[in-house]
Amino acid sequence: MTLVAERLFMSFGGLLALDGVSLTVPDGGVVGLIGTNGAGKSTVLKAVSGLLRPHRGEIRLRGRPIHHLPAHAVLAAGVAHCPEGRRLFAGMTVEENLRLGGHLRRDRHVAKDMARVYDLFPVLGERRTQRAGLFSGGEQQMLAIGRALMARPALLMFDEPTMGLSPIMIRRILDTIALLRNQGTTILMVEQNALAALMLADHGYVIDLGRTTMSGPGTDLLADPRVRAAYLG
Amino acid sequence: MSTLAQQIVNGLVLGALIGLIALGYTMLYGIVQLINFAHGEVFMVGAFGAHFVSLRLLPADTPWYTALPVMCVTAVAVSVAVAVAVERLAYRPLRGAHKLAPLITALGVSILLQEVVRVFYPGATAPLAFPRAFPDGHLVLGPVTVLWTGVLALAVAPLLAAALHLYVERSRLGRAMRATAQDPETARLMGIDPDRVILATFVLGAALAGVGAVLYGIHYTQIDTAIGFQNGIFAFTAAVLGGIGSIRGAMLGALSIGLVKSLAGQYAWGGAQYDYVWVFALLILVLMFRPQGFLGRPERVRA
Amino acid sequence: MTSSFVRDRPVTEAPSRREPRPAWRSAPGAALVLLGALSPWASAVIPGGAYPGLATLQFFDAPYLVTGFRLHLLLLGLAALLPRASRAAGAGAAVIALVHIAFLAALGVLSFGGPVTLAGGALLIWLGRREPAPEWKLPSRALAWPILVAAFAALLWAVSAMLTAGGQSRATNPHGGAEFLSFLGFAVGLFGILSAYGVLSWLSALAERHRAFSLTVLLACAMLLPLTEAGTGYWMTVASTIGIYAATAIGLNIVVGLAGLLDLGYVAFLGIGAFTAANLAHVVSFPVAALAGAVVAGLLGVVVGAPTLRVRGDYLAIVTLAFGEIFFRAAQNDIGGLTGGANSIPGIPPITLFGQGFDQPVGGLPAGFLYYALTVLLVAGTMAVLANLKHSRTGRAWLAIREDEDVARAMGVRTGRAKILAFLVGATLAGLAGAVFAHKLGTVGYESFDFSESVTLLAAVILGGMGTVPGALVGASLLFVLPEKLREFSDYRLMLFGLALILIMRFRPKGLVSS
Ligand SMILES: Nc1ncnc2c1ncn2[C@@H]1O[C@H](COP(=O)(O)OP(=O)(O)O)[C@@H](O)[C@H]1O
Ligand SMILES: [Mg+2]
């Protein structure tokens, strides 16, 4: 298992955001996390990446406990978190953003990986010296994905990567994620767009009020009438 | 006419020296939004460190070209050591505390450092003569005369600011600093340890202040325990004036402050006794009406 | 944008449940403290007379006489056996031990009892239980009033004892500083124990419920101070000086503690009140001069407060600092001939009422009593203003602004008006205090209003607890009594204040008073 999270509890000033969520992400698998707005999806990802510290529960990456690590150490351990709303460094260039993605890398393959990102998203390569803030939403999402890839993570987490994008761009981003999946990347993905998430995912979880209410293979969940009623309208 | 030119030059020299302090303020505020009152004292202890090494450890006949580098290295070492200790012991435990806490702590640190030096450094209850570790005499440019020490300050300060600019712009650590300033949470997701970035910021700022302290001492030829607080406030004003977070802005702001003080002391109502008042008035006006400073956006470290 | 140090600290772990510590764990520490109390403290007879009662080896000649700080240690050591009390008692004992070790060391004398007691105190702190204080039900009115009277009487005794501890001058008692600090350590232990058992919060809740009654009793107790040991002209003068600064600190507490606006130039308002009154002293009577001082200071408070409409948080602190400096420089240079510059304004007549000069004794009461009574009224008045404002609509608006200005505005608080009002009220109170200050001292000079005075006032507010009603009074009393008591340490005064600011922010950000 790449990632095991067990019974996470987390509250914000008395308000319980995670109420015992558990989930696992197998090696090379894609896991989708769906749920309504405010269900606690982002909080799960932040707990994994160390931005938030769960009050109780355990998170292990390839068997190693990581829930006590600060965020920068979690990245070093191998989890890259592509946050909700992209959160690029708007004042910096494309290249600088990518370099920040590979900030901890000391190996000689950084340049090669950067070239790979430019291959994946040629538009970034063409505009590598431009400031990230000038890009369209879709291009920014590409850069955010590229930035996360630069860390060469063992687990890649996406938080609503298609939020606010045009249908064409959504297609483009989802295709990219599918491509990464086919290359063997382990992915944990949060989406409000349940259809897209469950189509891509080998396995899905439904979260509601900080609890896992359903889980199963992506296609099974897609077929489940309750999921269809609640999330696919 | 000649008075005006002379006052301009005097103001620029003061401004250049203040600028070296302002760089520390601007970087730190850009990254953690802390007004580190104690930064002025970091400058002050640097001056006393240099004073100590020159009077107590160096032989009296040390030539200036040996003494000056030794004093600079000592000042930088003392300033950096104090800044790191302050960061570790006083500020780091307060991360995430209520917003007044770090500010009040900064004030406490500032007073503590001033008083420790005043009470325990021999003779520091009165101003101390600073060693003359630079050739006497001055450069004459038409109607204007500048002490060689002033020329040195005018040359070194912008040079160091430019070097800092390059470092923040080009180096890996500089990139981490800018990232932390722009978005601390996302910076952590990039594997950047905020504690290390903050510590590095303290170190860089303190090193520049240490150099500034020696230049200040040899130019004004005396130091006391209050030089940090006064010039620190001016430096903070300069950093705000230039747009806090901006390195170039801090230097430009400092030069303007130096000019204002020098020219107001000469020409404004009240004369030299009121020159501080005019700087403080300028400070209030800037904070009120242009808190983002002359050079644009607020609260970001930009090179 | 708010300006916490790092904006996204991970939410910390919920406190893990700890095993309750068995009561016997305080026994060894308590035993050491008791042993220390009964041991010789000085290895030689020290110069300048017997060091605080029986402190030398001679002690063994009179083993049953335990007085002074030894008695305090004995009491603390016994109290430490109570499960909740051990940490506070240990802290008190440790302070007492430290004080005496330091003083004896300065005299070149070794101490045996000192280290033993210190070890005991440290052990108590280390092993003691740290648990939330219990909460007690408030009694009915019939019981509440006598309880409050008793509590305030005890407070009166404590204040009198504190004032007189260590005597009045180094001439009569060369070890007065040690005795005073040692007494302070005992007081720390005592109050710590009371607060560990929830007594202090219970009493303050009680006082809060019967606010008018409490204030009356407090006032009465304060007026009784001249009848205690502290009833000499000297202590009256000291107490009234403290009172003036306390009133000023209470005004600052409104600005900083309630509204959360850090004012680093606050002492300027005290100065404005003082200079205004000084200039009018020969022209009008005291009430008019005082009123004028308050009004002028209040108006200038609005001027200084005006930038708060545009400036936030730490920038505001700098703006107030700048105003304070401008005032100081202007006063130093005798601006408009109003401040006397380096010569000060001398010869301000004392207040007279019905032909009675306030500096003269009345009846059997010591000289200076009238000024003392006046400052008690001043302090009571400012405390009443603070208490009433705290619970008013305005007070709630201030608290909302202190927590988060944007949220406050979103909730419909008129933040601009509220902030200006905070400056207006704070400055007016300081101006009033300044007028009394001028008349009482008889001379006013700019040196009394420099930055370090603002810092001291701020330290008083923070030490006492920001926003609490008695906080600033306690803080100001401590900060202005200490220098009076510890003349030999006057050089370290500011240093210690700086250190205190750092330590309080680190370990007790809510101040000493709040539990
Ligand atoms: N920093 C925070 N402070 C307080 N409450 C928060 C915070 N972050 C999230 N929450 C609350 O936790 C719950 C879960 O939020 P989140 O994980 O962001 O939901 P989503 O599933 O939409 O990503 C929500 O009720 C939200 O209001
Ligand atoms: Mg979300």
Side-chain angles (χ1 to χ4, degrees):
Chain A
M1 282 297 156
T2 298
L3 183 80
V4 178
E6 279 178 337
R7 290 188 303 280
L8 303 183
F9 287 86
M10 165 105 226
S11 66
F12 295 104
L15 191 133
L16 209 54
L18 297 185
D19 189 8
V21 172
S22 299
L23 58 84
T24 57
V25 184
D27 295 338
V30 173
V31 169
L33 210 54
I34 64 171
T36 51
N37 215 342
K41 306 180 298 291
S42 298
T43 306
V44 171
L45 294 200
K46 286 179 183 173
V48 172
S49 66
L51 286 181
L52 296 173
R53 187 165 292 185
H55 296 165
R56 260 192 291 155
E58 220 182 278
I59 304 171
R60 291 189 300 274
L61 183 72
R62 290 172 167 168
R64 180 185 159 206
I66 55 166
H67 49 268
H68 59 279
L69 295 179
H72 58 92
V74 172
L75 179 79
V79 178
H81 179 173
C82 191
E84 189 172 352
R86 303 179 266 280
R87 304 283 287 265
L88 294 174
F89 296 103
M92 297 195 208
T93 65
V94 169
E95 191 167 325
E96 281 183 309
N97 270 283
L98 293 179
R99 281 195 187 285
L100 279 166
H103 183 73
L104 289 183
R105 303 256 314 258
R106 298 286 196 178
D107 54 301
R108 279 169 294 126
H109 308 298
V110 177
K112 216 172 69 190
D113 282 0
M114 206 177 295
R116 236 185 74 201
V117 172
Y118 291 146
D119 274 350
L120 199 57
F121 305 113
V123 60
L124 298 182
E126 288 156 20
R127 304 171 63 182
R128 66 183 73 180
T129 56
Q130 288 186 22
R131 293 203 298 161
L134 303 171
F135 285 52
S136 74
E139 291 161 341
Q140 289 198 0
Q141 188 60 54
M142 292 176 192
L143 180 51
I145 295 174
R147 187 177 67 175
L149 284 172
M150 288 299 295
R152 280 205 175 178
L155 171 68
L156 193 50
M157 303 196 298
F158 294 113
D159 196 342
E160 310 218 6
T162 64
M163 187 172 67
L165 301 186
S166 68
I168 298 174
M169 270 303 164
I170 292 181
R171 192 68 263 155
R172 182 74 217 283
I173 297 295
L174 292 177
D175 285 348
T176 307
I177 295 177
L179 183 70
L180 294 172
R181 176 189 64 184
N182 296 340
Q183 290 171 353
T185 316
T186 308
I187 295 174
L188 174 58
M189 179 169 145
V190 164
E191 261 297 348
Q192 263 196 296
N193 182 346
L195 183 61
L198 294 179
M199 296 271 282
L200 271 175
D202 306 316
H203 198 91
Y205 289 87
V206 179
I207 295 199
D208 192 32
L209 295 174
R211 247 173 284 192
T212 325
T213 52
M214 266 184 273
S215 83
T219 42
D220 288 11
L221 285 181
L222 265 183
D224 191 299
R226 284 167 301 173
V227 176
R228 300 194 73 89
Y231 302 105
L232 299 173
Chain B
M1 193 49 220
S2 67
T3 323
L4 177 64
Q6 185 65 52
Q7 289 300 351
I8 288 177
V9 172
N10 293 351
L12 289 177
V13 172
L14 175 65
L17 293 169
I18 289 172
L20 287 175
I21 313 176
L23 294 173
Y25 271 108
T26 210
M27 281 193 291
L28 197 66
Y29 197 90
I31 287 174
V32 287
Q33 283 77 51
L34 168 71
I35 301 181
N36 180 17
F37 276 110
H39 187 57
E41 275 61 46
V42 163
F43 165 86
M44 182 269 294
V45 294
F48 278 87
H51 182 267
F52 181 83
V53 77
S54 157
L55 261 66
R56 301 296 170 93
L57 301 181
L58 289 179
D61 55 356
T62 311
W64 71 266
Y65 47 83
T66 313
L68 188 61
V70 171
M71 286 163 67
C72 280
V73 170
T74 313
V76 168
V78 171
S79 291
V80 167
V82 168
V84 168
V86 166
E87 203 285 310
R88 280 288 169 101
L89 300 177
Y91 297 142
R92 187 171 296 186
L94 296 180
R95 305 273 156 82
H98 188 271
K99 63 186 172 180
L100 280 187
L103 195 57
I104 291 168
T105 299
L107 192 62
V109 172
S110 161
I111 292 162
L112 180 67
L113 288 175
Q114 259 184 78
E115 290 296 306
V116 164
V117 173
R118 190 179 65 79
V119 172
F120 294 117
Y121 193 94
T125 42
L128 288 172
F130 201 79
R132 307 234 164 171
F134 206 64
D136 285 337
H138 38 247
L139 176 69
V140 180
L141 287 171
V144 179
T145 61
V146 203
L147 288 171
W148 284 115
T149 51
V151 176
L152 184 69
L154 281 175
V156 170
L159 215 63
L160 286 179
L164 179 68
H165 173 103
L166 275 181
Y167 185 74
V168 169
E169 193 71 335
R170 300 283 163 82
S171 73
R172 181 170 174 276
L173 181 62
R175 193 159 52 229
M177 286 167 65
R178 284 181 291 141
T180 306
Q182 286 181 25
D183 184 344
E185 185 172 72
T186 309
R188 285 164 61 204
L189 289 180
M190 303 293 110
I192 295 167
D193 178 353
D195 281 342
R196 280 180 59 174
V197 166
I198 292 169
L199 192 65
T201 311
F202 271 90
V203 168
L204 280 177
L208 293 166
V211 174
V214 174
L215 297 180
Y216 183 94
I218 57 176
H219 183 68
Y220 292 108
T221 70
Q222 70 174 27
I223 56 172
D224 60 58
T225 53
I227 57 173
F229 196 79
Q230 198 83 76
N231 290 305
I233 296 293
F234 289 170
F236 177 76
T237 314
V240 176
L241 196 63
I244 200 123
S246 160
I247 289 170
R248 241 177 323 187
M251 218 8 132
L252 289 178
L255 293 173
S256 330
I257 294 285
L259 284 178
V260 168
K261 179 167 181 294
S262 171
L263 294 177
Q266 183 71 36
Y267 297 105
W269 174 86
Q273 284 170 328
Y274 280 87
D275 56 356
Y276 287 93
V277 170
W278 295 115
V279 177
F280 285 123
L282 177 70
L283 167 61
I284 292 168
L285 291 176
V286 170
L287 286 178
M288 278 182 71
F289 296 107
R290 202 163 164 82
Q292 71 274 41
F294 290 157
L295 295 188
R297 289 179 309 164
E299 296 188 8
R300 291 284 179 269
V301 162
R302 287 161 298 114
Chain C
M1 171 166 286
T2 58
S3 49
S4 63
F5 198 62
V6 162
R7 282 159 289 190
D8 50 313
R9 187 174 66 133
V11 174
T12 47
E13 244 163 301
S16 57
R17 243 173 269 166
R18 240 188 249 136
E19 298 280 304
R21 293 185 152 167
W24 60 260
R25 294 185 67 153
S26 59
L32 280 179
V33 170
L34 292 173
L35 178 66
L38 299 172
S39 308
W41 275 66
S43 59
V45 179
I46 53 180
Y51 178 68
L54 306 173
T56 69
L57 287 170
Q58 298 156 338
F59 168 69
F60 289 117
D61 299 336
Y64 303 110
L65 252 181
V66 179
T67 56
F69 77 92
R70 289 165 181 283
L71 180 63
H72 299 157
L73 283 179
L74 209 61
L75 293 175
L76 288 176
L78 290 174
L81 291 169
L82 302 170
R84 284 175 193 276
S86 58
R87 282 174 60 87
V95 172
I96 295 178
L98 274 176
V99 167
H100 290 293
I101 291 174
F103 269 77
L104 288 171
L107 292 168
V109 175
L110 290 181
S111 165
F112 174 70
V116 171
T117 311
L118 185 61
L123 210 58
L124 283 172
I125 297 174
W126 185 38
L127 293 179
R129 275 201 246 170
R130 189 205 309 249
E131 34 188 88
E135 294 192 13
W136 306 92
K137 266 204 341 237
L138 294 185
S140 63
R141 169 169 309 216
L143 266 176
W145 285 20
I147 289 174
L148 283 171
V149 169
F152 285 124
L155 191 65
L156 173 67
W157 169 81
V159 169
S160 162
M162 190 92 81
L163 267 180
T164 51
Q168 151 175 350
S169 76
R170 292 304 81 85
T172 53
N173 181 354
H175 310 303
E179 283 182 39
F180 175 73
L181 281 181
S182 167
F183 186 83
L184 214 56
F186 179 57
V188 164
L190 214 55
F191 279 99
I193 292 169
L194 289 179
S195 114
Y197 277 93
V199 178
L200 285 190
S201 45
W202 178 72
L203 278 177
S204 68
L206 201 58
E208 188 75 13
R209 171 167 311 171
H210 305 277
R211 218 186 306 161
F213 178 76
S214 307
L215 219 56
T216 321
V217 177
L218 193 59
L219 208 58
C221 282
M223 291 300 180
L224 290 177
L225 186 68
L227 302 181
T228 69
E229 243 185 297
T232 66
Y234 175 79
W235 291 119
M236 288 295 102
T237 307
V238 171
S240 44
T241 307
I242 292 170
I244 290 171
Y245 281 110
T248 316
I250 293 167
L252 179 62
N253 203 5
I254 291 177
V255 185
V256 180
L258 290 189
L261 307 166
L262 186 55
D263 187 342
L264 296 181
Y266 187 70
V267 81
F269 299 121
L270 183 72
I272 287 162
F275 282 124
T276 307
N279 277 294
L280 296 176
H282 297 282
V283 187
V284 296
S285 65
F286 169 72
V288 180
L291 197 66
V295 168
V296 173
L299 288 178
L300 282 163
V302 173
V303 172
V304 175
T308 57
L309 299 180
R310 310 184 54 105
V311 181
R312 287 282 180 94
D314 25 17
Y315 277 22
L316 177 65
I318 297 287
V319 167
T320 56
L321 173 75
F323 272 119
E325 288 296 302
I326 290 177
F327 168 78
F328 183 75
R329 300 270 167 189
Q332 186 179 27
N333 289 310
D334 193 13
I335 190 162
L338 291 171
T339 68
N343 301 325
S344 322
I345 301 185
I348 305 165
I351 303 171
T352 47
L353 207 61
F354 308 121
Q356 169 71 44
F358 269 42
D359 53 342
Q360 302 301 317
V362 270
L365 292 166
F369 168 74
L370 284 175
Y371 274 120
Y372 171 75
L374 182 65
T375 56
V376 166
L377 288 179
L378 185 68
V379 170
T382 49
M383 279 175 85
V385 170
L386 176 67
N388 279 317
L389 280 174
K390 187 176 176 180
H391 298 282
S392 70
R393 254 176 72 90
T394 312
R396 283 191 296 278
W398 284 338
L399 291 185
I401 292 172
R402 187 178 80 177
E403 291 316 313
D404 190 322
E405 196 172 332
D406 295 314
V407 174
R409 183 167 301 154
M411 291 187 324
V413 174
R414 289 169 68 186
T415 56
R417 213 184 65 116
K419 289 193 289 186
I420 298 265
L421 196 63
F423 270 93
L424 171 67
V425 175
T428 305
L429 293 178
L432 200 57
V436 180
F437 181 86
H439 282 276
K440 181 179 160 290
L441 287 187
T443 161
V444 192
Y446 71 94
E447 314 92 333
S448 308
F449 313 108
D450 74 349
F451 181 67
S452 74
E453 296 296 319
S454 282
V455 170
T456 308
L457 287 168
L458 184 67
V461 167
I462 287 163
L463 192 70
M466 285 194 262
T468 60
V469 178
L473 177 61
V474 173
S477 309
L478 271 180
L479 290 192
F480 291 97
V481 170
L482 279 176
E484 191 63 39
K485 288 290 186 178
L486 303 171
R487 290 272 168 77
E488 59 266 55
F489 284 126
S490 63
D491 226 21
Y492 302 90
R493 188 180 69 107
L494 270 180
M495 190 192 302
L496 294 176
F497 288 177
L499 193 62
L501 287 181
I502 300 167
L503 292 178
I504 289 169
M505 284 297 116
R506 170 84 174 77
F507 294 107
R508 228 181 139 84
K510 298 215 164 123
L512 296 182
V513 167
S514 76
S515 45

